[in-house]
Amino acid sequence: MSNIAKTYEPQQFEKEIYAAWERDKNFHTTAEASGEPYCIVIPPPNVTGQLNMGHALDETLQDILIRYHRMKGDNTLWMPGTDHAGIATQARVEEQLRGEGTNRYELGREKFLERVWQWKEKFGNRISYQLRTLGSSCDWERERFTMDKGCSAAVRKVFVQLYNEGLIYRGRRITNWCPSCNTALSDIEVEHETEQGHLWHLRYPFADGSGYVEVATTRPETMLGDTGVAVHPDDERYKNLVGKTLILPLVNREIPLFADSYVDKNFGTGAVKVTPAHDPNDFEMGLRHNLEQVKVINNDGTMIDAGKYTGLDRYACREQIVKDLEEGGFLVKIENHEHAVGHCHRCHTTIEPLISKQWFVKMETLAEPAIEAVKSGELQFVPERFTKTYINWLENIRDWCISRQLWWGHQIPAWYCDDCGEMTVSETDIDECPHCHGKNLHREEDVLDTWFSSALWPFSTMGWPNDTPELKKFYPTSVLVTGYDIIFFWVVRMVMMGLKFRGEVPFKYVFIHGLVRDKFGRKMSKSLGNGVDPVEIINKYGADSLRFMLVTGNTPGNDLRFFDERVESARNFANKIWNASRFLLMNLEGFDKNFKPTREDLEFADEWILHELAKTIDAVTKNLERFELGEAARLIYEFIWLEFCDYYIELTKTRLYGSDARAKSTALFVLEKVLECTLRLLHPFMPFLTEIIRQKLPNAQGSIMLAPYPTRDELKDLLSDADNIDEFANVILNTVRTIRNLKSELGIDSRKKSAVVLKVTNANYKKFLAENVSYVTDLAFAEPITFADEKPAHAMSGVVDGLEIYLPLEGLIDVEKEIARLTKELEKLRKGAASTAGKLKNERFLSKAPAEVVQSERDKLAAAEEKISSLEQRIKQLENL
């Protein structure tokens, strides 16, 4: 039997292990395989993307669930794939073309799309390879792409059916337009941010010269497209003026003053300019009052049909118009005004509401069953609080603009006949008009919103519209794991489409996680320069360390902060397991792997560690089933680090190095049993480390990822029937912890032998402690240990339930020198705390410093105050000796 390497260097084995898993088809399953179906479809990362910390968290959580259920014996499928990412991918290729001195229009649509596919083949699969470095156990033989043949067929069928049912329509509406991406966006692709702007108050004179109406606007450049001014019908200020005609300043166009209940009479002057072609609410008012739609801003953000302002950028136009209004006497005043401004979620350009012909999905009909699915419990959110967010959004949903003015994506399957003017929507390409049999056809140039194809992902990846074995076996899927930031983009739409086309929700649970933020709590972004490349972290620390860091301290729905120190801590944990395993493997040389102890062979320490292992298995399994993966990881960490490594391994050394062969074999048996079981318990979290170590154990066979997940039942022949194991173990462990703490407070090496006096106040513990006092000696380096009824002189003390513990100081420390040392340390701490407190009282610092810096100072002060209090108590205790 060979041992593992002397040092833990994950870079030396992780790639090799993953290649073996993939070669042996350990990730692959079939619909015919045995076991209850368990399926996750991966949220498809953009084909343009590379692994970021958000992906790393998302994939780690999914992989933990997948590996756990695979080991449980479920027929487990993790469906991988990537998204074509319309806007993002097209932007990459257009950028490449600009570098070559050309553009998509010079190439033409067909040649341009060839270039995009070439780019996709060359660069588009890198994220799939990066997911492998993380250890993602996807069924790569089933990898899908949102524009592959099968997904494209599903998209066409859904579009045509929805169109035929009247749920997709084409209409002239106000849409969110990105002048940079040069395409329409749906409402949820717009990010609203509060900005400091202005409110311009303008005079609109009456045509009869009888005065004027004062309007207030945040966008004076749009006044060129005004076709009315609206007031509230109950506003007494304007009751006698409604119906009169106004003259639009600078343009001299006659426009009506009318009443509409949409107007907020408490905002500004109570009179609002109405621009039907450039504001969604004005558009609706315009329809109600039959107003003209005058478009004055072009798709690229410049002015159009705007007289002398034509061709100006919208913001340059704003400056010139304000100047001209002031010169003409039409500008009343300018106020500072804070308001929400929409930005493109891709490029962050300010959105321009523009009127244009677009394709829409009617959402109300689709939303109703999606609401009911959650209310009935058919679909559940974890954590439950996101249910309210989901329902609120659906109850106020607007029609979804699904057309995009791009070339890369699913081209809308609609054809226009130039002979008869009719439009035909078809699942298959057509070359003849079904209405007039004319041949002069041209196809709709727009493509579908990327999220349209993503909405079909749970069933299109299973082979729909064909009724495949995979659909029958794995749909609906078991759980969707995703961030809260795309509930509306993706989750809602998948639920609606799943219910519409499969009659069932696409998944039973939606497991929501938060965002990965930097150590100050800020969102990671290019602009802040605080992004962290997971692949670099993996190359430095190993995939297991990154995975374990991401899951520990993580609770459903909440954000987590990334610190290098946390990854180092996870790596230290991996190193602890490595060293403990190496120690055991060294001692297993020559061990009879068929040896099995009797119950009588087991010492109390053996019974205790097996009891703790069984409890940990139960608790970890319970938390995995509840999606509390962070808590499951914490329980495993504490068991391995404390119970197994710090306590149990130390307690076996007397037997391992002793002369009693059977006692040694018993200790080795339990060590190997506990380690092997623990590796399986840990495997979903740290797959590489657990695989390489388990391969070296004498009784292990096959890959750990195909081994059964541990259960209490497999330990039943070894578990003690005693009901006081916890109680007695706590007496020993609490005694050991107290002795270690007393040494630490005195600045003494925990491994330095020192005398200890025990005063037992609980009679039940006295006999037990006397029989097992060697455990305290071994773990706390306490020698000699004496039992007494009185407190010894000159001793530090600690109390645990039923027991007083004394550490005599004679020969251990010089009390006066220790008091002097602690006093010096205390003064230094007080000085630092006073400086920090002063900084926190400084109003200038509090108002100018970033919030995260202020919080850091507060945390520093709290930690210092806690340490000061501890030192004061310690000094007082020493002075009273």
Side-chain angles (χ1 to χ4, degrees):
M1 180 180 63
S2 60
N3 205 332
I4 52 179
K6 187 175 181 180
T7 55
Y8 172 59
E9 294 178 347
Q11 299 81 4
Q12 301 299 316
F13 58 81
E14 286 187 348
K15 282 187 173 64
E16 183 182 330
I17 285 175
Y18 195 93
W21 285 334
E22 204 165 354
R23 182 192 64 233
D24 295 340
K25 299 184 180 297
N26 288 350
F27 308 149
H28 183 61
T29 192
T30 65
E32 296 73 34
S34 61
E36 287 295 311
Y38 187 86
C39 178
I40 297 177
V41 290
I42 199 170
N46 287 350
V47 74
T48 58
Q50 60 183 27
L51 198 66
N52 60 41
M53 274 300 165
H55 291 129
L57 171 62
D58 202 54
E59 312 312 325
T60 295
L61 296 176
Q62 290 174 76
D63 197 40
I64 289 169
L65 293 171
I66 285 291
R67 288 179 181 272
Y68 164 63
H69 281 274
R70 188 184 286 123
M71 294 176 78
K72 269 183 67 178
D74 293 338
N75 184 2
T76 306
L77 169 62
W78 189 8
M79 180 76 75
T82 49
D83 191 286
H84 64 277
I87 294 175
T89 306
Q90 178 157 322
R92 291 286 183 90
V93 178
E94 289 199 77
E95 184 182 351
Q96 195 178 65
L97 292 176
R98 279 194 295 273
E100 298 171 12
T102 187
N103 58 56
R104 62 169 162 144
Y105 300 104
E106 288 183 7
L107 281 183
R109 186 169 194 140
E110 191 175 334
K111 291 289 185 185
F112 176 75
L113 290 177
E114 285 178 11
R115 284 293 296 267
V116 183
W117 279 106
Q118 288 168 12
W119 188 94
K120 185 262 179 188
E121 292 307 315
K122 187 173 182 181
F123 301 107
N125 296 320
R126 65 179 172 176
I127 196 162
S128 300
Y129 294 110
Q130 289 174 333
L131 290 176
R132 288 169 163 87
T133 68
L134 190 64
S136 303
S137 59
C138 302
D139 191 343
W140 294 110
E141 294 178 44
R142 296 181 181 274
E143 188 172 9
R144 300 301 301 269
F145 178 53
T146 51
M147 281 179 62
D148 66 26
K149 188 176 179 181
C151 289
S152 297
V155 166
R156 278 215 181 180
K157 185 169 184 65
V158 166
F159 184 94
V160 172
Q161 184 173 329
L162 291 177
Y163 176 80
N164 288 338
E165 292 179 15
L167 294 174
I168 283 181
Y169 64 93
R170 190 172 184 242
R172 187 174 169 83
R173 298 275 299 277
I174 285 280
T175 55
N176 306 295
W177 188 273
C178 175
S180 179
C181 296
N182 202 30
T183 186
L185 302 173
S186 66
D187 290 342
I188 57 174
E189 291 173 296
V190 178
E191 294 177 346
H192 292 275
E193 296 176 7
T194 300
E195 292 185 359
Q196 292 296 331
H198 296 94
L199 198 59
W200 285 270
H201 289 253
L202 312 177
R203 291 188 182 96
Y204 280 28
F206 286 112
D208 61 7
S210 61
Y212 63 88
V213 168
E214 184 180 318
V215 300
T217 179
T218 59
R219 305 183 65 217
E221 68 277 9
T222 63
M223 66 166 291
L224 301 174
D226 286 359
T227 54
V229 170
V231 295
H232 194 279
D234 297 332
D235 195 330
E236 294 294 332
R237 293 172 293 179
Y238 301 105
K239 269 204 168 176
N240 296 327
L241 300 173
V242 170
K244 295 191 72 170
T245 301
L246 298 162
I247 299 296
L248 182 63
L250 307 182
V251 180
N252 293 323
R253 180 165 61 240
E254 290 191 349
I255 59 175
L257 177 67
F258 64 93
D260 193 286
S261 57
Y262 165 76
V263 178
D264 179 359
K265 59 186 178 182
N266 298 315
F267 178 77
T269 64
V272 295
K273 55 189 275 320
V274 180
T275 322
H278 295 286
D279 181 277
N281 298 308
D282 291 4
F283 175 81
E284 297 297 335
M285 279 197 285
L287 292 180
R288 288 195 291 272
H289 298 276
N290 199 29
L291 298 181
E292 186 183 359
Q293 299 168 349
V294 177
K295 183 176 179 179
V296 294
I297 301 177
N298 214 346
N299 292 356
D300 61 359
T302 61
M303 307 307 291
I304 184 174
D305 296 333
K308 74 173 191 176
Y309 307 105
T310 299
L312 286 178
D313 173 79
R314 52 186 168 162
Y315 298 117
C317 177
R318 177 181 296 180
E319 288 183 21
Q320 187 61 51
I321 278 184
V322 171
K323 183 180 176 183
D324 292 346
L325 286 168
E326 187 172 19
E327 289 177 356
F330 300 110
L331 181 64
V332 179
K333 62 180 177 180
I334 304 173
E335 294 178 326
N336 290 330
H337 179 63
E338 192 178 79
H339 61 140
V341 177
H343 297 83
C344 173
H345 82 296
R346 288 284 179 195
C347 67
H348 214 63
T349 300
T350 300
I351 291 301
E352 191 61 56
L354 293 182
I355 195 162
S356 60
K357 248 188 179 175
Q358 302 289 342
W359 291 84
F360 297 86
V361 176
K362 288 183 180 177
M363 299 296 272
E364 192 174 341
T365 304
L366 296 171
E368 289 172 3
I371 293 170
E372 182 55 33
V374 168
K375 287 184 174 179
S376 69
E378 186 183 358
L379 173 66
Q380 296 180 44
F381 279 83
V382 179
E384 197 273 336
R385 69 176 185 270
F386 286 100
T387 300
K388 186 177 179 182
T389 309
Y390 168 96
I391 290 175
N392 284 347
W393 191 77
L394 277 174
E395 287 179 341
N396 296 282
I397 201 165
R398 292 168 57 169
D399 286 357
W400 172 18
C401 174
I402 55 171
S403 46
R404 298 291 179 271
Q405 287 62 53
L406 304 169
W407 287 356
W408 173 247
H410 293 280
Q411 192 172 356
I412 291 174
W415 285 261
Y416 304 94
C417 179
D418 298 328
D419 295 329
C420 69
E422 291 290 337
M423 181 186 73
T424 304
V425 169
S426 172
E427 280 187 48
T428 57
D429 289 358
I430 62 172
D431 55 15
E432 181 181 289
C433 175
H435 303 281
C436 71
H437 304 292
K439 299 289 186 179
N440 295 315
L441 300 173
H442 68 275
R443 187 172 177 178
E444 169 67 69
E445 291 198 354
D446 289 356
V447 300
L448 289 166
D449 178 7
T450 297
W451 296 101
F452 190 92
S453 53
S454 300
L456 317 182
W457 190 247
F459 55 90
S460 66
T461 53
M462 304 279 183
W464 189 90
N466 297 320
D467 192 21
T468 64
E470 284 76 14
L471 264 177
K472 293 174 182 175
K473 185 74 172 182
F474 295 110
Y475 189 94
T477 65
S478 306
V479 60
L480 175 77
V481 181
T482 190
Y484 60 67
D485 53 333
I486 58 171
I487 290 176
F488 310 129
F489 280 105
W490 194 39
V491 178
V492 166
R493 289 162 175 173
M494 281 192 288
V495 175
M496 290 192 287
M497 293 300 188
L499 287 166
K500 174 66 177 172
F501 291 96
R502 291 295 302 166
E504 294 179 277
V505 291
F507 22 74
K508 297 161 191 169
Y509 295 95
V510 181
F511 174 22
I512 301 288
H513 61 74
L515 306 178
V516 182
R517 299 184 178 272
D518 71 7
K519 63 182 179 181
F520 298 117
R522 300 175 303 178
K523 190 173 180 178
M524 290 184 175
S525 68
K526 287 180 182 177
S527 59
L528 290 174
N530 61 348
V532 179
D533 182 354
V535 175
E536 287 183 12
I537 298 296
I538 290 170
N539 290 339
K540 184 176 180 182
Y541 297 104
D544 286 332
S545 299
L546 176 60
R547 288 168 63 109
F548 202 76
M549 183 284 295
L550 288 169
V551 73
T552 46
N554 179 27
T555 53
N558 294 325
D559 294 344
L560 65 93
R561 297 190 182 189
F562 178 89
F563 300 83
D564 274 351
E565 295 83 357
R566 289 189 63 216
V567 190
E568 287 173 9
S569 175
R571 193 187 190 284
N572 290 341
F573 177 53
N575 202 55
K576 182 97 168 175
I577 298 168
W578 188 267
N579 290 336
S581 302
R582 182 173 166 76
F583 168 79
L584 174 57
L585 288 166
M586 281 171 25
N587 283 280
L588 281 171
E589 292 289 342
F591 173 66
D592 179 5
K593 68 178 186 178
N594 295 315
F595 173 83
K596 189 171 182 180
T598 63
R599 283 277 187 91
E600 289 70 30
D601 289 323
L602 300 177
E603 290 192 1
F604 177 79
D606 304 325
E607 293 177 339
W608 167 73
I609 195 64
L610 291 165
H611 175 74
E612 287 297 308
L613 175 59
K615 282 201 309 181
T616 303
I617 289 171
D618 288 345
V620 168
T621 303
K622 181 180 178 181
N623 279 287
L624 285 172
E625 293 289 343
R626 297 189 310 181
F627 302 103
E628 293 286 355
L629 309 191
E631 178 62 11
R634 184 192 67 80
L635 291 165
I636 298 172
Y637 176 92
E638 291 191 353
F639 174 78
I640 292 174
W641 192 288
L642 295 175
E643 275 89 351
F644 187 58
C645 292
D646 278 8
Y647 297 144
Y648 183 69
I649 289 178
E650 291 300 319
L651 291 176
T652 62
K653 287 181 178 178
T654 302
R655 284 181 285 170
L656 294 180
Y657 303 143
S659 56
D660 187 332
R662 189 166 186 85
K664 178 179 180 179
S665 292
T666 299
L668 284 171
F669 173 87
V670 177
L671 279 166
E672 196 265 347
K673 182 74 175 176
V674 173
L675 177 61
E676 194 277 336
C677 202
T678 304
L679 290 173
R680 285 185 280 129
L681 196 66
L682 178 64
H683 174 73
F685 302 85
M686 303 179 90
F688 296 105
L689 173 78
T690 52
E691 179 72 271
I692 193 169
I693 294 173
R694 185 176 176 275
Q695 287 175 0
K696 305 292 184 181
L697 295 178
N699 289 305
Q701 294 180 341
S703 172
I704 190 172
M705 65 178 289
L706 302 180
Y709 203 69
T711 62
R712 169 185 284 269
D713 197 52
E714 65 187 78
L715 301 173
K716 63 183 180 182
D717 293 340
L718 298 168
L719 292 175
S720 169
D721 296 329
D723 57 7
N724 57 4
I725 289 181
D726 280 334
E727 183 183 4
F728 283 163
N730 284 337
V731 173
I732 291 174
L733 297 181
N734 287 336
T735 302
V736 169
R737 289 187 193 106
T738 303
I739 295 169
R740 287 179 175 179
N741 289 340
L742 290 172
K743 288 183 179 181
S744 175
E745 288 176 8
L746 294 169
I748 299 169
D749 184 351
S750 64
R751 301 178 80 83
K752 181 178 180 179
K753 287 187 178 181
S754 55
V756 169
V757 176
L758 301 179
K759 182 183 176 183
V760 184
T761 55
N762 184 323
N764 292 331
Y765 296 163
K766 197 160 191 174
K767 181 173 182 293
F768 174 76
L769 272 170
E771 291 174 351
N772 295 283
V773 75
S774 62
Y775 293 151
V776 180
T777 300
D778 291 345
L779 293 174
F781 291 86
E783 196 175 9
I785 295 177
T786 55
F787 293 86
D789 294 327
E790 299 296 330
K791 173 186 175 180
H794 304 295
M796 291 282 282
S797 65
V799 178
V800 299
D801 184 31
L803 186 66
E804 293 174 16
I805 301 157
Y806 298 98
L807 192 67
L809 300 179
E810 187 177 348
L812 202 58
I813 61 165
D814 184 318
V815 175
E816 289 186 6
K817 283 185 179 179
E818 180 64 11
I819 291 174
R821 181 185 74 81
L822 294 176
T823 302
K824 187 176 179 180
E825 185 181 343
L826 180 62
E827 288 307 313
K828 186 178 178 181
L829 273 171
R830 282 173 174 164
K831 189 175 180 181
S835 173
T836 305
K839 190 184 288 186
L840 289 169
K841 288 177 184 175
N842 186 322
E843 289 298 328
R844 189 173 178 185
F845 169 75
L846 293 175
S847 62
K848 290 187 175 292
E852 60 267 15
V853 173
V854 175
Q855 187 57 48
S856 177
E857 290 297 313
R858 285 179 177 145
D859 293 343
K860 187 165 77 173
L861 179 60
E865 288 174 342
E866 187 178 344
K867 196 164 185 182
I868 286 168
S869 175
S870 176
L871 280 177
E872 287 173 341
Q873 290 177 25
R874 205 184 312 164
I875 291 168
K876 187 176 180 180
Q877 192 174 14
L878 287 170
E879 287 174 340
N880 291 334
L881 290 175

